[in-house]
């Protein structure tokens, strides 16, 4: 398009690179919180499958938010690495530290 220019940054604007990295951190964090809440709501003693967790999260997702499967899987993996989640075969459940994040007593 002739004569079209790129949008300029105003005096109070945040650079795009910083804004995108901040959005990525916030969305990953919300996926972890969503996973914890989904496991809590599913109340499966032996753990919940990633498919069941995904369905629960998608049912409770805000209207304008797009589902990002890569971020969901990354949040699951990070939860296991951080010790918040325990993976048993193909199921995930909250660890003692994960239960303490929810406010449940640690056994």
């Amino acid at each position: 398009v002739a004569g079209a220019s790129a949008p300029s940054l105003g005096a109070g604007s945040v650079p795009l690179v910083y804004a995108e990295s901040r959005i990525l951190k916030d969305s990953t964090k919300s996926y972890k919180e969503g996973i914890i809440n989904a496991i809590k709501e599913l109340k499966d003693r032996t753990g919940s499958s990633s498919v069941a967790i995904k369905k629960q999260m998608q049912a409770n997702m805000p209207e304008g938010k797009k589902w990002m499967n890569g971020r969901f899987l990354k949040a699951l993996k990070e939860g296991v690495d951080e010790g918040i989640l325990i993976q048993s075969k193909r199921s995930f459940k909250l660890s003692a530290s994960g239960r303490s994040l929810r406010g449940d007593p640690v056994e």
Side-chain angles (χ1 to χ4, degrees):
V1 177
S5 64
S8 63
L9 291 175
S13 296
V14 176
L16 188 58
V17 174
Y18 173 74
E20 286 179 357
S21 67
R22 188 171 181 187
I23 289 169
L24 289 177
K25 284 184 180 180
D26 292 344
S27 64
T28 303
K29 183 177 179 184
S30 65
Y31 274 80
K32 285 182 189 176
E33 292 171 356
I35 289 168
I36 291 170
N37 290 336
I39 292 172
K40 175 185 169 186
E41 291 171 6
L42 291 170
K43 297 180 182 177
D44 193 353
R45 185 176 62 85
T46 58
S48 303
S49 70
S50 61
V51 174
I53 295 169
K54 182 193 298 188
K55 286 181 181 179
Q56 182 69 28
M57 286 179 65
Q58 287 175 336
N60 295 326
M61 204 160 71
E63 285 293 319
K65 190 169 182 178
K66 181 181 172 188
W67 180 257
M68 305 295 276
N69 199 54
R71 291 189 187 151
F72 167 71
L73 295 173
K74 182 179 178 184
L76 269 178
K77 184 178 179 186
E78 286 178 356
V80 172
D81 292 343
E82 293 172 3
I84 297 170
L85 301 174
I86 298 172
Q87 184 176 5
S88 173
K89 297 183 183 177
R90 294 181 153 220
S91 297
F92 296 88
K93 57 185 176 179
L94 293 174
S95 66
S97 62
R99 286 192 299 270
S100 67
L101 291 174
R102 300 187 353 212
D104 287 354
V106 178
E107 297 173 4

